[in-house]
Amino acid sequence: RFDGISGHVDVPVLDVETDQLTIEVWINLEELAPGGCCTSLFSPDGWQPGWLHYNLRTDNNIEFALNSGGPNNHNTEADAVPFDEWVYIASVYDRDEAIVRTYVNGGELDVNPPDFSSPQPVLFEVPAQVAAWEDTRFITGLLDEFAIYDSALSEDRILAHFQAAPSTGASLL
């Protein structure tokens, strides 16, 4: 549970450079961070080429922002993440395809723009935070099963991760 005031998880330097990335999380959002811009799901300490900022915007859309990757902000439609219910979200980036795909509860959403005019590797070369950015933009709500993969998970794999959760009615082996 994150309190929207100071709660977050510090992530050490991962020292990873990858051309493919999947970031996923279960979220039960209570409210967005005050102040306008965004509520941070994951952000490195700063804003440099190749650094990923994964946010919820003021209209509850999901933003995948890769600095200097063409148009920086790749956003879903508004109201992609409702309040006060568990939602599984995942975004997949593939430098070779120069595209980002975002999923909510296993289904793909439209992303505007979906492609990168100058695709680049994603760099994890500085500390980062989950549920905040530079001790601001805090999440109020619950997060679970936060993961970053250095590969582009398939649509079938994303759906399988969603369906594996007991709350979806799926059977666990």
Side-chain angles (χ1 to χ4, degrees):
R1 175 171 293 279
F2 294 92
D3 62 10
I5 300 168
S6 64
H8 67 278
V9 175
D10 288 320
V11 179
V13 175
L14 300 175
D15 197 26
V16 171
E17 178 178 323
T18 183
D19 290 337
Q20 296 183 329
L21 172 97
T22 302
I23 187 166
E24 68 179 358
V25 64
W26 280 92
I27 184 169
N28 189 322
L29 183 65
E30 294 174 14
E31 63 184 59
L32 294 170
C37 171
C38 16
T39 301
S40 182
L41 291 167
F42 173 85
S43 295
D45 294 344
W47 183 237
Q48 296 294 320
W51 293 4
L52 171 67
H53 287 244
Y54 198 55
N55 300 310
L56 300 175
R57 300 292 296 194
T58 56
D59 62 357
N60 288 34
N61 73 5
I62 302 163
E63 176 184 60
F64 186 99
L66 184 58
N67 191 18
S68 299
N72 287 334
N73 302 331
H74 299 261
N75 300 302
T76 65
E77 68 242 12
D79 301 318
V81 179
F83 291 105
D84 300 317
E85 65 182 75
W86 280 105
V87 178
Y88 169 76
I89 63 174
S91 290
V92 179
Y93 171 71
D94 189 319
R95 180 182 182 188
D96 293 337
E97 291 184 21
I99 197 162
V100 64
R101 292 181 174 87
T102 296
Y103 301 83
V104 171
N105 292 340
E108 188 173 357
L109 300 179
D110 288 334
V111 175
N112 183 21
D115 59 339
F116 287 79
S117 60
S118 58
Q120 63 182 303
V122 180
L123 305 173
F124 296 98
E125 57 189 17
V126 296
Q129 294 181 335
V130 172
W133 177 61
E134 295 187 331
D135 296 321
T136 64
R137 301 180 181 171
F138 295 103
I139 285 178
T140 302
L142 301 162
L143 297 181
D144 198 12
E145 303 295 323
F146 180 90
I148 300 174
Y149 302 89
D150 63 352
S151 62
L153 297 184
S154 69
E155 186 173 350
D156 289 343
R157 184 83 181 266
I158 295 286
L159 182 59
H161 285 200
F162 168 67
Q163 291 174 334
S167 65
T168 65
S171 299
L172 297 178
L173 299 177

mmCIF file of all heavy atoms in Angstrom, residues 121-165:
data_model
loop_
_atom_site.group_PDB
_atom_site.id
_atom_site.type_symbol
_atom_site.label_atom_id
_atom_site.label_comp_id
_atom_site.label_asym_id
_atom_site.label_seq_id
_atom_site.Cartn_x
_atom_site.Cartn_y
_atom_site.Cartn_z
ATOM 1 N N PRO A 121 17.886 1.741 -27.359
ATOM 2 C CA PRO A 121 17.843 0.819 -26.223
ATOM 3 C C PRO A 121 17.317 1.523 -24.970
ATOM 4 O O PRO A 121 17.412 2.740 -24.845
ATOM 5 C CB PRO A 121 19.302 0.407 -26.035
ATOM 6 C CG PRO A 121 20.111 1.429 -26.725
ATOM 7 C CD PRO A 121 19.244 2.055 -27.783
ATOM 8 N N VAL A 122 16.757 0.733 -24.073
ATOM 9 C CA VAL A 122 16.338 1.223 -22.763
ATOM 10 C C VAL A 122 17.511 0.998 -21.812
ATOM 11 O O VAL A 122 18.099 -0.083 -21.788
ATOM 12 C CB VAL A 122 15.081 0.482 -22.263
ATOM 13 C CG1 VAL A 122 14.664 1.009 -20.904
ATOM 14 C CG2 VAL A 122 13.946 0.617 -23.263
ATOM 15 N N LEU A 123 17.840 2.036 -21.047
ATOM 16 C CA LEU A 123 18.996 1.995 -20.155
ATOM 17 C C LEU A 123 18.554 2.070 -18.699
ATOM 18 O O LEU A 123 17.765 2.937 -18.330
ATOM 19 C CB LEU A 123 19.932 3.168 -20.456
ATOM 20 C CG LEU A 123 20.417 3.301 -21.896
ATOM 21 C CD1 LEU A 123 21.188 4.602 -22.072
ATOM 22 C CD2 LEU A 123 21.257 2.101 -22.293
ATOM 23 N N PHE A 124 19.086 1.171 -17.892
ATOM 24 C CA PHE A 124 18.864 1.189 -16.442
ATOM 25 C C PHE A 124 20.227 1.425 -15.787
ATOM 26 O O PHE A 124 20.828 0.515 -15.238
ATOM 27 C CB PHE A 124 18.241 -0.127 -15.974
ATOM 28 C CG PHE A 124 16.882 -0.384 -16.535
ATOM 29 C CD1 PHE A 124 16.717 -1.206 -17.638
ATOM 30 C CD2 PHE A 124 15.767 0.209 -15.978
ATOM 31 C CE1 PHE A 124 15.453 -1.444 -18.173
ATOM 32 C CE2 PHE A 124 14.498 -0.017 -16.501
ATOM 33 C CZ PHE A 124 14.345 -0.842 -17.598
ATOM 34 N N GLU A 125 20.702 2.659 -15.871
ATOM 35 C CA GLU A 125 22.064 2.962 -15.446
ATOM 36 C C GLU A 125 22.136 3.874 -14.231
ATOM 37 O O GLU A 125 23.231 4.250 -13.814
ATOM 38 C CB GLU A 125 22.840 3.577 -16.609
ATOM 39 C CG GLU A 125 22.210 4.815 -17.192
ATOM 40 C CD GLU A 125 22.872 5.279 -18.482
ATOM 41 O OE1 GLU A 125 23.595 4.506 -19.116
ATOM 42 O OE2 GLU A 125 22.648 6.444 -18.839
ATOM 43 N N VAL A 126 20.989 4.238 -13.666
ATOM 44 C CA VAL A 126 20.946 5.060 -12.464
ATOM 45 C C VAL A 126 19.872 4.488 -11.540
ATOM 46 O O VAL A 126 19.026 3.707 -11.974
ATOM 47 C CB VAL A 126 20.624 6.547 -12.783
ATOM 48 C CG1 VAL A 126 21.725 7.170 -13.629
ATOM 49 C CG2 VAL A 126 19.279 6.695 -13.439
ATOM 50 N N PRO A 127 19.874 4.863 -10.270
ATOM 51 C CA PRO A 127 18.802 4.415 -9.382
ATOM 52 C C PRO A 127 17.438 4.876 -9.906
ATOM 53 O O PRO A 127 17.337 5.833 -10.669
ATOM 54 C CB PRO A 127 19.126 5.093 -8.049
ATOM 55 C CG PRO A 127 20.576 5.414 -8.116
ATOM 56 C CD PRO A 127 20.869 5.692 -9.567
ATOM 57 N N ALA A 128 16.399 4.183 -9.477
ATOM 58 C CA ALA A 128 15.036 4.498 -9.900
ATOM 59 C C ALA A 128 14.100 4.333 -8.710
ATOM 60 O O ALA A 128 14.515 3.922 -7.633
ATOM 61 C CB ALA A 128 14.627 3.584 -11.055
ATOM 62 N N GLN A 129 12.835 4.651 -8.952
ATOM 63 C CA GLN A 129 11.813 4.477 -7.920
ATOM 64 C C GLN A 129 10.572 3.842 -8.524
ATOM 65 O O GLN A 129 10.196 4.158 -9.656
ATOM 66 C CB GLN A 129 11.428 5.823 -7.289
ATOM 67 C CG GLN A 129 12.551 6.453 -6.503
ATOM 68 C CD GLN A 129 12.158 7.775 -5.870
ATOM 69 O OE1 GLN A 129 11.269 8.479 -6.312
ATOM 70 N NE2 GLN A 129 12.850 8.126 -4.797
ATOM 71 N N VAL A 130 9.952 2.965 -7.766
ATOM 72 C CA VAL A 130 8.623 2.440 -8.068
ATOM 73 C C VAL A 130 7.656 3.226 -7.199
ATOM 74 O O VAL A 130 7.902 3.416 -6.008
ATOM 75 C CB VAL A 130 8.525 0.928 -7.761
ATOM 76 C CG1 VAL A 130 7.096 0.433 -7.887
ATOM 77 C CG2 VAL A 130 9.455 0.146 -8.684
ATOM 78 N N ALA A 131 6.597 3.733 -7.785
ATOM 79 C CA ALA A 131 5.535 4.480 -7.107
ATOM 80 C C ALA A 131 5.910 5.929 -6.799
ATOM 81 O O ALA A 131 5.236 6.582 -6.009
ATOM 82 C CB ALA A 131 5.060 3.772 -5.840
ATOM 83 N N ALA A 132 6.963 6.442 -7.437
ATOM 84 C CA ALA A 132 7.348 7.846 -7.269
ATOM 85 C C ALA A 132 8.386 8.204 -8.331
ATOM 86 O O ALA A 132 8.939 7.331 -8.996
ATOM 87 C CB ALA A 132 7.931 8.093 -5.884
ATOM 88 N N TRP A 133 8.642 9.504 -8.450
ATOM 89 C CA TRP A 133 9.738 10.011 -9.268
ATOM 90 C C TRP A 133 10.438 11.111 -8.503
ATOM 91 O O TRP A 133 9.823 12.116 -8.145
ATOM 92 C CB TRP A 133 9.241 10.566 -10.608
ATOM 93 C CG TRP A 133 10.344 11.162 -11.436
ATOM 94 C CD1 TRP A 133 11.447 10.507 -11.904
ATOM 95 C CD2 TRP A 133 10.480 12.508 -11.857
ATOM 96 N NE1 TRP A 133 12.252 11.364 -12.608
ATOM 97 C CE2 TRP A 133 11.683 12.623 -12.604
ATOM 98 C CE3 TRP A 133 9.716 13.651 -11.691
ATOM 99 C CZ2 TRP A 133 12.117 13.803 -13.158
ATOM 100 C CZ3 TRP A 133 10.151 14.838 -12.263
ATOM 101 C CH2 TRP A 133 11.342 14.899 -12.995
ATOM 102 N N GLU A 134 11.722 10.899 -8.218
ATOM 103 C CA GLU A 134 12.526 11.871 -7.479
ATOM 104 C C GLU A 134 11.780 12.411 -6.260
ATOM 105 O O GLU A 134 11.719 13.614 -6.018
ATOM 106 C CB GLU A 134 12.989 13.001 -8.405
ATOM 107 C CG GLU A 134 13.930 12.527 -9.487
ATOM 108 C CD GLU A 134 14.523 13.639 -10.317
ATOM 109 O OE1 GLU A 134 13.888 14.706 -10.494
ATOM 110 O OE2 GLU A 134 15.650 13.439 -10.804
ATOM 111 N N ASP A 135 11.177 11.486 -5.516
ATOM 112 C CA ASP A 135 10.434 11.812 -4.288
ATOM 113 C C ASP A 135 9.270 12.767 -4.526
ATOM 114 O O ASP A 135 8.936 13.599 -3.676
ATOM 115 C CB ASP A 135 11.373 12.335 -3.201
ATOM 116 C CG ASP A 135 12.369 11.270 -2.763
ATOM 117 O OD1 ASP A 135 11.974 10.093 -2.672
ATOM 118 O OD2 ASP A 135 13.540 11.612 -2.516
ATOM 119 N N THR A 136 8.620 12.639 -5.691
ATOM 120 C CA THR A 136 7.377 13.341 -6.008
ATOM 121 C C THR A 136 6.505 12.365 -6.795
ATOM 122 O O THR A 136 6.877 11.226 -7.035
ATOM 123 C CB THR A 136 7.615 14.598 -6.873
ATOM 124 O OG1 THR A 136 8.147 14.198 -8.142
ATOM 125 C CG2 THR A 136 8.583 15.570 -6.207
ATOM 126 N N ARG A 137 5.333 12.821 -7.224
ATOM 127 C CA ARG A 137 4.431 12.049 -8.086
ATOM 128 C C ARG A 137 4.097 10.671 -7.493
ATOM 129 O O ARG A 137 4.080 9.661 -8.184
ATOM 130 C CB ARG A 137 5.012 11.889 -9.489
ATOM 131 C CG ARG A 137 5.266 13.209 -10.173
ATOM 132 C CD ARG A 137 5.850 13.000 -11.551
ATOM 133 N NE ARG A 137 6.120 14.279 -12.189
ATOM 134 C CZ ARG A 137 6.773 14.408 -13.319
ATOM 135 N NH1 ARG A 137 7.210 13.351 -13.966
ATOM 136 N NH2 ARG A 137 6.980 15.597 -13.840
ATOM 137 N N PHE A 138 3.815 10.650 -6.198
ATOM 138 C CA PHE A 138 3.565 9.408 -5.460
ATOM 139 C C PHE A 138 2.218 8.781 -5.807
ATOM 140 O O PHE A 138 1.236 9.479 -6.016
ATOM 141 C CB PHE A 138 3.601 9.676 -3.950
ATOM 142 C CG PHE A 138 4.951 10.104 -3.442
ATOM 143 C CD1 PHE A 138 5.207 11.435 -3.148
ATOM 144 C CD2 PHE A 138 5.955 9.179 -3.262
ATOM 145 C CE1 PHE A 138 6.444 11.838 -2.669
ATOM 146 C CE2 PHE A 138 7.201 9.565 -2.786
ATOM 147 C CZ PHE A 138 7.446 10.906 -2.489
ATOM 148 N N ILE A 139 2.182 7.470 -5.801
ATOM 149 C CA ILE A 139 0.946 6.704 -5.994
ATOM 150 C C ILE A 139 0.206 6.596 -4.670
ATOM 151 O O ILE A 139 0.816 6.398 -3.611
ATOM 152 C CB ILE A 139 1.254 5.295 -6.526
ATOM 153 C CG1 ILE A 139 1.636 5.375 -7.996
ATOM 154 C CG2 ILE A 139 0.082 4.345 -6.319
ATOM 155 C CD1 ILE A 139 1.993 4.052 -8.606
ATOM 156 N N THR A 140 -1.110 6.706 -4.734
ATOM 157 C CA THR A 140 -1.965 6.382 -3.603
ATOM 158 C C THR A 140 -2.754 5.147 -4.010
ATOM 159 O O THR A 140 -3.578 5.201 -4.931
ATOM 160 C CB THR A 140 -2.926 7.538 -3.278
ATOM 161 O OG1 THR A 140 -2.170 8.715 -3.013
ATOM 162 C CG2 THR A 140 -3.789 7.195 -2.077
ATOM 163 N N GLY A 141 -2.469 4.037 -3.364
ATOM 164 C CA GLY A 141 -3.145 2.794 -3.692
ATOM 165 C C GLY A 141 -2.231 1.604 -3.476
ATOM 166 O O GLY A 141 -1.222 1.681 -2.777
ATOM 167 N N LEU A 142 -2.597 0.500 -4.096
ATOM 168 C CA LEU A 142 -1.888 -0.766 -3.924
ATOM 169 C C LEU A 142 -1.207 -1.174 -5.223
ATOM 170 O O LEU A 142 -1.784 -1.013 -6.309
ATOM 171 C CB LEU A 142 -2.869 -1.865 -3.518
ATOM 172 C CG LEU A 142 -3.654 -1.619 -2.234
ATOM 173 C CD1 LEU A 142 -4.866 -2.531 -2.179
ATOM 174 C CD2 LEU A 142 -2.762 -1.854 -1.034
ATOM 175 N N LEU A 143 0.002 -1.714 -5.111
ATOM 176 C CA LEU A 143 0.705 -2.323 -6.238
ATOM 177 C C LEU A 143 1.093 -3.735 -5.846
ATOM 178 O O LEU A 143 1.419 -4.000 -4.698
ATOM 179 C CB LEU A 143 1.983 -1.556 -6.582
ATOM 180 C CG LEU A 143 1.880 -0.120 -7.060
ATOM 181 C CD1 LEU A 143 3.273 0.431 -7.369
ATOM 182 C CD2 LEU A 143 1.003 -0.010 -8.287
ATOM 183 N N ASP A 144 1.099 -4.622 -6.831
ATOM 184 C CA ASP A 144 1.522 -6.001 -6.593
ATOM 185 C C ASP A 144 2.127 -6.550 -7.882
ATOM 186 O O ASP A 144 1.795 -6.087 -8.975
ATOM 187 C CB ASP A 144 0.315 -6.845 -6.165
ATOM 188 C CG ASP A 144 0.721 -8.147 -5.495
ATOM 189 O OD1 ASP A 144 1.916 -8.320 -5.150
ATOM 190 O OD2 ASP A 144 -0.160 -9.000 -5.309
ATOM 191 N N GLU A 145 2.985 -7.536 -7.727
ATOM 192 C CA GLU A 145 3.561 -8.253 -8.870
ATOM 193 C C GLU A 145 4.219 -7.326 -9.879
ATOM 194 O O GLU A 145 4.112 -7.521 -11.087
ATOM 195 C CB GLU A 145 2.497 -9.120 -9.561
ATOM 196 C CG GLU A 145 1.825 -10.131 -8.670
ATOM 197 C CD GLU A 145 2.772 -11.202 -8.146
ATOM 198 O OE1 GLU A 145 3.672 -11.628 -8.884
ATOM 199 O OE2 GLU A 145 2.593 -11.621 -6.992
ATOM 200 N N PHE A 146 4.929 -6.322 -9.411
ATOM 201 C CA PHE A 146 5.654 -5.418 -10.300
ATOM 202 C C PHE A 146 6.857 -6.166 -10.872
ATOM 203 O O PHE A 146 7.623 -6.783 -10.139
ATOM 204 C CB PHE A 146 6.134 -4.184 -9.530
ATOM 205 C CG PHE A 146 6.887 -3.203 -10.388
ATOM 206 C CD1 PHE A 146 6.213 -2.196 -11.037
ATOM 207 C CD2 PHE A 146 8.254 -3.312 -10.562
ATOM 208 C CE1 PHE A 146 6.897 -1.287 -11.841
ATOM 209 C CE2 PHE A 146 8.948 -2.421 -11.362
ATOM 210 C CZ PHE A 146 8.265 -1.401 -12.002
ATOM 211 N N ALA A 147 7.023 -6.111 -12.196
ATOM 212 C CA ALA A 147 8.153 -6.810 -12.828
ATOM 213 C C ALA A 147 8.605 -6.063 -14.074
ATOM 214 O O ALA A 147 7.801 -5.450 -14.778
ATOM 215 C CB ALA A 147 7.749 -8.230 -13.196
ATOM 216 N N ILE A 148 9.910 -6.147 -14.329
ATOM 217 C CA ILE A 148 10.501 -5.653 -15.560
ATOM 218 C C ILE A 148 11.268 -6.813 -16.173
ATOM 219 O O ILE A 148 12.070 -7.459 -15.501
ATOM 220 C CB ILE A 148 11.465 -4.471 -15.305
ATOM 221 C CG1 ILE A 148 10.735 -3.298 -14.651
ATOM 222 C CG2 ILE A 148 12.125 -4.038 -16.606
ATOM 223 C CD1 ILE A 148 11.650 -2.166 -14.235
ATOM 224 N N TYR A 149 11.010 -7.072 -17.450
ATOM 225 C CA TYR A 149 11.691 -8.128 -18.192
ATOM 226 C C TYR A 149 12.536 -7.492 -19.283
ATOM 227 O O TYR A 149 12.096 -6.540 -19.925
ATOM 228 C CB TYR A 149 10.676 -9.061 -18.856
ATOM 229 C CG TYR A 149 9.712 -9.710 -17.894
ATOM 230 C CD1 TYR A 149 8.510 -9.085 -17.553
ATOM 231 C CD2 TYR A 149 9.989 -10.947 -17.327
ATOM 232 C CE1 TYR A 149 7.618 -9.666 -16.672
ATOM 233 C CE2 TYR A 149 9.093 -11.537 -16.446
ATOM 234 C CZ TYR A 149 7.922 -10.898 -16.125
ATOM 235 O OH TYR A 149 7.041 -11.477 -15.256
ATOM 236 N N ASP A 150 13.702 -8.059 -19.549
ATOM 237 C CA ASP A 150 14.533 -7.550 -20.641
ATOM 238 C C ASP A 150 14.237 -8.305 -21.937
ATOM 239 O O ASP A 150 15.127 -8.639 -22.711
ATOM 240 C CB ASP A 150 16.018 -7.598 -20.289
ATOM 241 C CG ASP A 150 16.533 -8.997 -20.061
ATOM 242 O OD1 ASP A 150 15.731 -9.957 -20.025
ATOM 243 O OD2 ASP A 150 17.767 -9.148 -19.920
ATOM 244 N N SER A 151 12.955 -8.527 -22.164
ATOM 245 C CA SER A 151 12.467 -9.169 -23.386
ATOM 246 C C SER A 151 11.056 -8.648 -23.662
ATOM 247 O O SER A 151 10.403 -8.122 -22.769
ATOM 248 C CB SER A 151 12.457 -10.692 -23.242
ATOM 249 O OG SER A 151 11.572 -11.082 -22.205
ATOM 250 N N ALA A 152 10.632 -8.832 -24.905
ATOM 251 C CA ALA A 152 9.278 -8.427 -25.298
ATOM 252 C C ALA A 152 8.372 -9.638 -25.143
ATOM 253 O O ALA A 152 8.405 -10.561 -25.963
ATOM 254 C CB ALA A 152 9.274 -7.920 -26.735
ATOM 255 N N LEU A 153 7.583 -9.667 -24.080
ATOM 256 C CA LEU A 153 6.669 -10.794 -23.881
ATOM 257 C C LEU A 153 5.600 -10.774 -24.970
ATOM 258 O O LEU A 153 5.128 -9.716 -25.385
ATOM 259 C CB LEU A 153 6.011 -10.723 -22.504
ATOM 260 C CG LEU A 153 6.937 -10.814 -21.285
ATOM 261 C CD1 LEU A 153 6.116 -10.830 -19.998
ATOM 262 C CD2 LEU A 153 7.857 -12.015 -21.344
ATOM 263 N N SER A 154 5.200 -11.949 -25.401
ATOM 264 C CA SER A 154 4.173 -12.073 -26.441
ATOM 265 C C SER A 154 2.802 -11.734 -25.879
ATOM 266 O O SER A 154 2.583 -11.732 -24.662
ATOM 267 C CB SER A 154 4.155 -13.495 -26.991
ATOM 268 O OG SER A 154 3.664 -14.386 -25.998
ATOM 269 N N GLU A 155 1.870 -11.475 -26.775
ATOM 270 C CA GLU A 155 0.493 -11.212 -26.363
ATOM 271 C C GLU A 155 -0.071 -12.395 -25.592
ATOM 272 O O GLU A 155 -0.774 -12.222 -24.586
ATOM 273 C CB GLU A 155 -0.355 -10.905 -27.590
ATOM 274 C CG GLU A 155 -1.763 -10.473 -27.258
ATOM 275 C CD GLU A 155 -2.540 -9.999 -28.480
ATOM 276 O OE1 GLU A 155 -1.946 -9.822 -29.554
ATOM 277 O OE2 GLU A 155 -3.758 -9.785 -28.325
ATOM 278 N N ASP A 156 0.238 -13.621 -26.023
ATOM 279 C CA ASP A 156 -0.227 -14.817 -25.308
ATOM 280 C C ASP A 156 0.357 -14.890 -23.904
ATOM 281 O O ASP A 156 -0.331 -15.276 -22.962
ATOM 282 C CB ASP A 156 0.134 -16.086 -26.088
ATOM 283 C CG ASP A 156 -0.686 -16.256 -27.351
ATOM 284 O OD1 ASP A 156 -1.748 -15.602 -27.484
ATOM 285 O OD2 ASP A 156 -0.261 -17.047 -28.227
ATOM 286 N N ARG A 157 1.621 -14.518 -23.741
ATOM 287 C CA ARG A 157 2.258 -14.554 -22.428
ATOM 288 C C ARG A 157 1.653 -13.498 -21.508
ATOM 289 O O ARG A 157 1.427 -13.744 -20.323
ATOM 290 C CB ARG A 157 3.765 -14.348 -22.597
ATOM 291 C CG ARG A 157 4.552 -14.452 -21.331
ATOM 292 C CD ARG A 157 4.872 -15.901 -20.981
ATOM 293 N NE ARG A 157 5.610 -15.976 -19.762
ATOM 294 C CZ ARG A 157 6.936 -16.025 -19.684
ATOM 295 N NH1 ARG A 157 7.662 -16.037 -20.769
ATOM 296 N NH2 ARG A 157 7.518 -16.098 -18.521
ATOM 297 N N ILE A 158 1.391 -12.310 -22.057
ATOM 298 C CA ILE A 158 0.745 -11.246 -21.273
ATOM 299 C C ILE A 158 -0.617 -11.737 -20.780
ATOM 300 O O ILE A 158 -0.962 -11.595 -19.599
ATOM 301 C CB ILE A 158 0.577 -9.959 -22.115
ATOM 302 C CG1 ILE A 158 1.936 -9.371 -22.487
ATOM 303 C CG2 ILE A 158 -0.319 -8.945 -21.412
ATOM 304 C CD1 ILE A 158 2.674 -8.678 -21.389
ATOM 305 N N LEU A 159 -1.399 -12.322 -21.683
ATOM 306 C CA LEU A 159 -2.711 -12.839 -21.306
ATOM 307 C C LEU A 159 -2.580 -13.935 -20.245
ATOM 308 O O LEU A 159 -3.354 -13.971 -19.286
ATOM 309 C CB LEU A 159 -3.460 -13.365 -22.539
ATOM 310 C CG LEU A 159 -4.862 -13.893 -22.291
ATOM 311 C CD1 LEU A 159 -5.767 -12.825 -21.684
ATOM 312 C CD2 LEU A 159 -5.456 -14.422 -23.597
ATOM 313 N N ALA A 160 -1.579 -14.791 -20.369
ATOM 314 C CA ALA A 160 -1.364 -15.856 -19.379
ATOM 315 C C ALA A 160 -1.020 -15.272 -18.009
ATOM 316 O O ALA A 160 -1.497 -15.777 -16.987
ATOM 317 C CB ALA A 160 -0.260 -16.798 -19.847
ATOM 318 N N HIS A 161 -0.223 -14.216 -17.969
ATOM 319 C CA HIS A 161 0.094 -13.572 -16.687
ATOM 320 C C HIS A 161 -1.170 -13.009 -16.049
ATOM 321 O O HIS A 161 -1.376 -13.141 -14.836
ATOM 322 C CB HIS A 161 1.117 -12.458 -16.891
ATOM 323 C CG HIS A 161 2.498 -12.951 -17.125
ATOM 324 N ND1 HIS A 161 3.597 -12.163 -16.945
ATOM 325 C CD2 HIS A 161 2.979 -14.156 -17.547
ATOM 326 C CE1 HIS A 161 4.687 -12.849 -17.223
ATOM 327 N NE2 HIS A 161 4.336 -14.056 -17.608
ATOM 328 N N PHE A 162 -2.013 -12.376 -16.847
ATOM 329 C CA PHE A 162 -3.278 -11.855 -16.327
ATOM 330 C C PHE A 162 -4.167 -12.989 -15.813
ATOM 331 O O PHE A 162 -4.706 -12.923 -14.711
ATOM 332 C CB PHE A 162 -4.011 -11.049 -17.401
ATOM 333 C CG PHE A 162 -5.435 -10.726 -17.051
ATOM 334 C CD1 PHE A 162 -5.724 -9.873 -16.003
ATOM 335 C CD2 PHE A 162 -6.480 -11.288 -17.758
ATOM 336 C CE1 PHE A 162 -7.033 -9.576 -15.667
ATOM 337 C CE2 PHE A 162 -7.797 -11.004 -17.425
ATOM 338 C CZ PHE A 162 -8.065 -10.144 -16.371
ATOM 339 N N GLN A 163 -4.304 -14.041 -16.604
ATOM 340 C CA GLN A 163 -5.200 -15.138 -16.235
ATOM 341 C C GLN A 163 -4.699 -15.968 -15.061
ATOM 342 O O GLN A 163 -5.485 -16.657 -14.422
ATOM 343 C CB GLN A 163 -5.443 -16.048 -17.440
ATOM 344 C CG GLN A 163 -6.263 -15.377 -18.512
ATOM 345 C CD GLN A 163 -6.403 -16.213 -19.777
ATOM 346 O OE1 GLN A 163 -5.564 -17.041 -20.069
ATOM 347 N NE2 GLN A 163 -7.478 -15.964 -20.507
ATOM 348 N N ALA A 164 -3.420 -15.888 -14.744
ATOM 349 C CA ALA A 164 -2.863 -16.654 -13.626
ATOM 350 C C ALA A 164 -3.276 -16.117 -12.271
ATOM 351 O O ALA A 164 -3.155 -16.809 -11.264
ATOM 352 C CB ALA A 164 -1.340 -16.672 -13.725
ATOM 353 N N ALA A 165 -3.797 -14.906 -12.223
ATOM 354 C CA ALA A 165 -4.189 -14.299 -10.957
ATOM 355 C C ALA A 165 -5.480 -14.934 -10.443
ATOM 356 O O ALA A 165 -6.437 -15.090 -11.194
ATOM 357 C CB ALA A 165 -4.381 -12.806 -11.113
#
